[in-house]
């Protein structure tokens, strides 16, 4: 069992990594991986603290031993904006005078999973990232979780793109490990329906739900709209089963 080990150590203001722009109300959490073989959270603190010549950053870095917040969660980080046309998730498109193109950096929190030397993401890193998401959900509400890939098409986090099962298991586990988190929002249901847009993804999600111990009866209840506690996984699964018919 991993521990959250959440540390806060902010990098200095830097136009390339920490511009100091105020973050809009948070609408989603965005998952990344560092694509940097063997780089730890501390390594990335140093890197982004000294960044020059390219725009990049994220709020939180998670590795095998800890999670490290390097940018205040009230400020913008540069992590999910490669598309001139704006994000693939239209509801995340935001603009500001200093940032006119329309992008998701203004209203999302970016979380980076550090990569092992062999290119994988260690199971402890994934487990700790789940704890980070749960912490954020307590602060900001049970918001949708997206891969960078879902927002701009970039293959990030690559292991979660090449293996959809790993990704589906991730968001089912986020739900599974903390039943106390609740929400009741049709908007969120819609987000999840968008997210679970492909038939293949939905089938994998149902399978993951069953494997995660959700009974057929439980799934049926949610399918029929009896989402009493309105939890994320339930609504997602209900929505996907409905959409799958
Ligand atoms: Zn990314």
């Amino acid at each position: 069992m991993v521990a959250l080990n959440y540390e806060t150590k902010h990098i200095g203001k830097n136009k390339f990594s920490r511009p100091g722009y105020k973050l809009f109300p948070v609408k989603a959490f965005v998952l990344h991986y560092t694509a940097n073989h063997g780089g730890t959270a501390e390594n990335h603190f140093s890197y982004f603290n000294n960044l020059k010549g390219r725009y990049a950053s994220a709020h939180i870095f998670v590795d095998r031993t800890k999670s490290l917040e390097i940018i205040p969660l009230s400020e913008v980080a540069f992590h999910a904006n490669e598309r001139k046309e704006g994000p693939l998730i239209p509801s995340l498109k935001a603009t500001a005078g200093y940032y006119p193109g329309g992008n998701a950096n203004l209203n999302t929190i970016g979380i980076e999973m550090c990569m092992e030397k062999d290119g994988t993401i260690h199971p402890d890193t994934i487990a700790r990232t789940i704890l980070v998401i749960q912490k954020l959900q307590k602060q900001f509400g049970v918001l949708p979780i997206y891969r960078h890939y879902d927002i701009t098409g970039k293959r990030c986090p690559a292991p979660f793109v090449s293996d959809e099962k790993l990704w589906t298991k991730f968001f089912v586990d986020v739900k599974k490990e903390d039943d106390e988190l609740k929400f009741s929002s049709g908007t969120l249901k819609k987000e999840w329906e968008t997210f679970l847009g492909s038939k293949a993804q939905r089938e994998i999600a149902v399978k993951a739900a069953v494997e995660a111990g959700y009974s057929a009866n439980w799934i049926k209840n949610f399918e029929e709209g009896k989402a009493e506690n309105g939890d994320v996984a339930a609504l997602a699964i209900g929505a996907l089963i409905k959409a799958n018919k």
Side-chain angles (χ1 to χ4, degrees):
M1 191 63 187
V2 304
L4 179 62
N5 284 348
Y6 195 92
E7 290 177 24
T8 300
K9 185 167 79 168
H10 295 148
I11 59 174
K13 291 260 172 81
N14 172 346
K15 70 172 180 172
F16 294 110
S17 53
R18 184 187 166 191
Y21 303 149
K22 191 177 181 327
L23 194 65
F24 291 10
V26 178
K27 283 191 162 181
F29 308 120
V30 183
L31 280 182
H32 303 267
Y33 84 136
T34 56
N36 176 12
H37 291 259
T40 64
E42 285 289 344
N43 293 152
H44 287 89
F45 169 88
S46 305
Y47 175 77
F48 288 106
N49 202 25
N50 297 302
L51 191 65
K52 279 192 187 79
R54 68 179 275 256
Y55 295 90
S57 57
H59 294 92
I60 302 165
F61 287 77
V62 185
D63 66 20
R64 289 169 71 161
T65 60
K66 70 177 177 183
S67 34
L68 185 60
E69 178 189 307
I70 70 160
I71 292 183
L73 305 185
S74 57
E75 291 183 19
V76 168
F78 297 140
H79 59 99
N81 177 40
E82 299 87 38
R83 273 170 56 89
K84 277 195 193 111
E85 313 88 326
L88 293 165
I89 310 282
S91 59
L92 295 181
K93 184 167 178 164
T95 55
Y98 52 82
Y99 222 171
N103 73 80
N105 284 343
L106 294 170
N107 53 21
T108 59
I109 290 178
I111 302 131
E112 293 269 0
M113 294 180 284
C114 291
M115 193 173 82
E116 299 302 306
K117 285 188 180 132
D118 66 2
T120 62
I121 303 172
H122 193 275
D124 286 358
T125 302
I126 294 178
R128 179 165 291 106
T129 304
I130 287 169
L131 297 179
V132 168
I133 297 271
Q134 289 171 344
K135 171 184 156 56
L136 295 175
Q137 286 178 329
K138 283 176 185 135
Q139 270 174 280
F140 296 95
V142 181
L143 302 172
I145 308 158
Y146 294 111
R147 296 168 295 189
H148 187 178
Y149 174 74
D150 300 309
I151 294 179
T152 69
K154 184 175 176 180
R155 290 185 65 80
C156 174
F160 282 24
V161 177
S162 53
D163 185 357
E164 289 276 349
K165 260 190 179 168
L166 199 61
W167 167 226
T168 306
K169 187 180 181 314
F170 181 90
F171 73 73
V172 170
D173 283 349
V174 166
K175 153 66 196 134
K176 200 172 148 194
E177 292 183 19
D178 192 341
D179 262 336
E180 312 238 314
L181 296 165
K182 293 170 184 170
F183 82 106
S184 54
S185 158
T187 312
L188 278 175
K189 182 166 181 284
K190 213 164 177 309
E191 296 268 5
W192 280 101
E193 280 170 344
T194 308
F195 163 67
L196 293 161
S198 84
K199 188 165 178 274
Q201 221 166 18
R202 290 193 294 272
E203 281 168 0
I204 292 163
V206 171
K207 202 158 170 276
V210 172
E211 279 168 10
Y214 293 98
S215 72
N217 200 35
W218 182 92
I219 292 172
K220 190 167 169 286
N221 272 342
F222 288 110
E223 190 185 358
E224 290 168 0
K226 295 176 196 160
E228 280 173 27
N229 64 357
D231 66 82
V232 170
L235 282 174
I237 291 157
L240 66 89
I241 292 171
K242 215 173 203 173
N244 216 9
K245 278 188 170 162

